[in-house]
Amino acid sequence: MRIAIIGAGYVGLVSGTCFSEFGVDVTCVDISEERVSNLQKGIIPIFEPGLDTMVKRNVDAGRLHFTTNLADIIPQADAVFIAVGTPSRRGDGHADLKYVYQAAEDVAKHLSGYTVIVTKSTVPVGTGREVKSIVAKTNPDADFDVASNPEFLREGAAIQDFMRPDRVVIGAETERALNVMRKLYQPLYRIEVPIVATSLETAELTKYAANAFLATKITFINEIADLCEKVGANVQDVARGIGLDGRIGKNFLHAGPGYGGSCFPKDTRALVRTAQDYNSPISIVESVVAVNDARPAKMAEKIMAACGGSVKGKKIALLGLTFKPNTDDMRESPSLYIVPELLKNGATIAAFDPKGAEHAKTLLPDITYAADPYETMQDADAVVILTEWNEFRALQLDRVKDLLKTPIMVDLRNVYKPEEMSEAGFTYVSVGR
Ligand code: UDX
């Protein structure tokens, strides 16, 4: 089979590469000449574990191609995936669909033979139907169907999520379209991955419902963590105690500085907006958004309290800047709110992040960047763990203590055990314990 993927960003690149690993002939189309020429040379624009070797393997095997030229590719494609960005529209939280609709129009002009046009980007309910009408209007003779096939890829684990998903959701209006989609995912039948075949609208809403539910789970445990601190309970034990109930499940119950990233913040806001538009508000998700928005300021307060009530004139060592480990992505990272808050209150900050520093430098220019975790700590008044990178899990505590002016650690990811830290002579503050 042959497919085209429009948009060689995170979702497009991972999906395209994984489809080529399945044996499908894939061409990723992007408007950026620079991105395409880099990809042709094997230079990957994002950090995703395992992606570079998989790209190389499939490029070498002649199954994965990159181009800026839509016209050459679309006529031969059995399916065209639209995987362009859907940023939050400024001001109102709605997803901005201009890139999706532009892609639909561009694709329509070059269709030849039966083609399934698939939305892979996270798009609000009704987008698939709008794509259908744009294509039909642009090219009245086109023989096509529209399908919705939302991704559930976690950054840092995206390849595994694509190759071994919990399920594949496919919204399609005809058997013919569904068959094309089933054929593309055929390699997953061997590992018995369930295919959830639905209408377009259901598939579109499923994606938002999944992300909103996960964001709710995180926010729930974060608020339980706050209560734990007040009543002297331990949130990790509470999470284990409830998570072992199969109806609740143990994943996504880690308390921390709030969720960030390219999906949860954007998708929860978009769902809230859609629900309001249809006069069917989802107040639970509205609360989740508000609670999570307020969380970084709370974390900054926690850091200040640990430093004796103020960070004025103090140096803070910050470990981790990305919204989670194993990514260089800084989008909506709690650090983007916590750092300015600490600076505003008079702190100086030295930070280290294994992959995010380059990008962080443009977003957080007023702090210094260290070459390793220990360099941040030289004469610092406190060290703060903001992202749970593996290399922060086994710090040499003696060395940390020697470097710090005062042995204060604020662990916003509950990486260390409170007893172990107090035995090591630290004033240790974590989340919900
Ligand atoms: C998410 C979804 O998991 C994925 O299915 C979707 O398609 C895209 O959005 P991603 O944003 O890459 O993926 O990261 P994820 O691992 O889900 O974490 C999101 C945020 O929640 C991070 O900031 C993380 O630190 C936070 N989180 C996650 C918690 O605070 N506690 C948890 O228990 C889990």
Side-chain angles (χ1 to χ4, degrees), residues 312-326:
K312 197 160 194 260
K314 293 190 173 153
K315 177 184 168 187
I316 307 294
L318 210 57
L319 302 186
L321 292 164
T322 50
F323 79 100
K324 65 172 199 176
N326 294 326

Side-chain angles (χ1 to χ4, degrees), residues 262-378:
S262 63
C263 291
F264 287 171
K266 172 171 75 73
D267 294 351
T268 44
R269 275 182 220 128
L271 179 62
V272 162
R273 277 291 164 205
T274 303
Q276 286 167 351
D277 288 352
Y278 284 88
N279 206 14
S280 184
I282 308 182
S283 53
I284 191 167
V285 182
E286 291 177 18
S287 298
V288 165
V289 170
V291 171
N292 195 67
D293 283 350
R295 190 124 189 112
K298 261 195 170 172
M299 295 300 107
E301 271 167 33
K302 189 190 259 295
I303 295 166
M304 289 190 267
C307 294
S310 163
V311 287
K312 197 160 194 260
K314 293 190 173 153
K315 177 184 168 187
I316 307 294
L318 210 57
L319 302 186
L321 292 164
T322 50
F323 79 100
K324 65 172 199 176
N326 294 326
T327 175
D328 60 356
D329 201 335
M330 286 292 296
R331 280 177 285 180
E332 305 260 0
S333 174
S335 68
L336 295 176
Y337 305 92
I338 295 173
V339 166
E341 196 60 28
L342 295 177
L343 292 176
K344 200 176 78 195
N345 281 280
T348 55
I349 296 177
F352 170 75
D353 189 280
K355 293 282 176 208
E358 271 320 298
H359 190 194
K361 279 176 190 165
T362 59
L363 301 165
L364 299 168
D366 300 324
I367 63 177
T368 56
Y369 290 85
D372 70 72
Y374 298 101
E375 198 184 305
T376 63
M377 298 171 202
Q378 187 71 55

Side-chain angles (χ1 to χ4, degrees), residues 151 154-155 207 218 252-254 260 263 323-324 413:
E151 51 82 19
R154 283 166 304 166
E155 289 182 24
K207 170 64 197 253
I218 296 167
F252 276 69
L253 288 177
H254 297 292
C263 291
F323 79 100
K324 65 172 199 176
R413 298 289 184 168

Side-chain angles (χ1 to χ4, degrees), residues 5 51 99-100 108-110 123-124 146 277 394:
I5 310 251
L51 185 62
Y99 303 113
V100 173
K109 290 179 194 149
H110 303 289
V123 290
V146 168
D277 288 352

Side-chain angles (χ1 to χ4, degrees), residues 180 193 245 253 401 412 423 426:
V180 170
V193 173
D245 183 329
L253 288 177
K401 225 170 101 189
L412 298 181
E423 260 168 44
F426 280 84

